[in-house]
Amino acid sequence: AQKVTQAQTEISVVEKEDVTLDCVYETRDTTYYLFWYKQPPSGELVFLIRRNSFDEQNEISGRYSWNFQKSTSSFNFTITASQVVDSAVYFCALRGQNFVFGPGTRLSVLP
Amino acid sequence: KAGVTQTPRYLIKTRGQQVTLSCSPISGHRSVSWYQQTPGQGLQFLFEYFSETQRNKGNFPGRFSGRQFSNSRSEMNVSTLELGDSALYLCASSLFQPNTEAFFGQGTRLTVV
């Protein structure tokens, strides 16, 4: 069975703080893909990143960075110098045999 | 380039009725997938289509069905609506398989009364 856990239900930070959103996954598939999506109040999901199971290279894109560790089955997402516009619900997702989303983490960035 | 378009944006239906939701993918995209989002169950995968063929299906009852047309537009149908079907239904399109970057529409908010 596949499962994605995002233990942090809600996080509040003050603008310019760094914040890390945790994602732990379970799968028996040897080939799989991991994703992060952002869902702002408007409702549509915005794709942030995709990682396949063979690529453990960490990635940085502007203020965003991702840490993929297969040994701990984690795919954590860090926002550096957070901004109010980062306030949203963030979903981690796993695609192997099926497509499974985590419950989401609601991030509130306060001015 | 137009994004993913879902129609209608809002819908109110009565228990027992059926409903059809529509999704127009980004031009050139051949893969469409559907998701249900509720406060209780979160985001759940419904099904995905590629070149008019259903490639994968989530764990939903047979009341939920879908199809994809030759122009890649997709529809999903829910028959015999139940109160628990009230949700935001999201559609995503990808160039090829959903393993690639998926672009989501704004969703259809279905309320069953």
Side-chain angles (χ1 to χ4, degrees):
Chain A
Q2 296 184 145
K3 186 178 177 182
V4 176
T5 301
Q6 294 179 258
Q8 305 144 309
T9 307
E10 291 192 40
I11 301 176
S12 285
V13 298
V14 176
E15 213 172 12
K16 295 185 185 174
E17 283 185 14
D18 298 347
V19 58
T20 296
L21 309 182
D22 298 333
C23 172
V24 174
Y25 63 92
E26 295 174 31
T27 182
R28 290 181 183 171
D29 296 321
T30 52
T31 300
Y32 53 88
Y33 295 83
L34 295 164
F35 301 80
W36 275 96
Y37 288 92
K38 172 183 179 180
Q39 187 175 39
S42 59
E44 62 189 281
L45 285 164
V46 177
F47 169 88
L48 295 177
I49 191 171
R50 173 188 68 127
R51 262 285 171 271
N52 73 51
S53 51
F54 299 108
D55 182 5
E56 284 193 71
Q57 211 172 9
N58 292 330
E59 180 156 338
I60 298 174
S61 176
R63 296 184 298 107
Y64 295 169
S65 62
W66 291 269
N67 184 295
F68 176 26
Q69 293 203 340
K70 216 166 168 179
S71 59
T72 56
S73 297
S74 65
F75 186 42
N76 296 335
F77 172 32
T78 298
I79 302 174
T80 303
S82 59
Q83 299 176 0
V84 173
V85 293
D86 296 327
S87 297
V89 180
Y90 290 85
F91 292 94
C92 179
L94 164 69
R95 166 131 188 160
Q97 286 280 349
N98 299 303
F99 206 162
V100 177
F101 284 81
T105 296
R106 182 176 298 277
L107 174 65
S108 298
V109 181
L110 309 173
Chain B
K1 195 173 184 180
V4 178
T5 304
Q6 290 188 247
T7 56
R9 288 291 312 281
Y10 301 92
L11 205 49
I12 299 176
K13 288 285 188 178
T14 305
R15 265 185 307 176
Q17 287 187 312
Q18 76 164 20
V19 66
T20 299
L21 311 182
S22 179
C23 173
S24 293
I26 291 172
S27 177
H29 283 195
R30 294 167 62 188
S31 176
V32 173
S33 49
W34 289 89
Y35 306 83
Q36 182 197 65
Q37 187 175 26
T38 60
Q41 299 298 318
L43 258 170
Q44 293 183 283
F45 167 72
L46 278 158
F47 26 63
E48 74 185 6
Y49 290 88
F50 181 76
S51 294
E52 302 178 67
T53 302
Q54 188 178 88
R55 291 300 182 94
N56 210 346
K57 191 176 190 306
N59 190 23
F60 278 82
R63 300 185 297 108
F64 291 80
S65 62
R67 58 178 175 168
Q68 186 180 31
F69 301 98
S70 58
N71 61 359
S72 293
R73 192 177 71 83
S74 177
E75 288 181 348
M76 68 161 281
N77 185 76
V78 188
S79 62
T80 321
L81 283 166
E82 300 176 0
L83 295 179
D85 297 333
S86 295
L88 178 67
Y89 289 88
L90 292 163
C91 164
S93 82
S94 305
L95 193 54
F96 300 112
Q97 297 287 345
N99 288 337
T100 56
E101 182 175 352
F103 296 86
F104 281 78
Q106 288 188 294
T108 294
R109 173 78 60 189
L110 171 65
T111 302
V112 182
V113 298

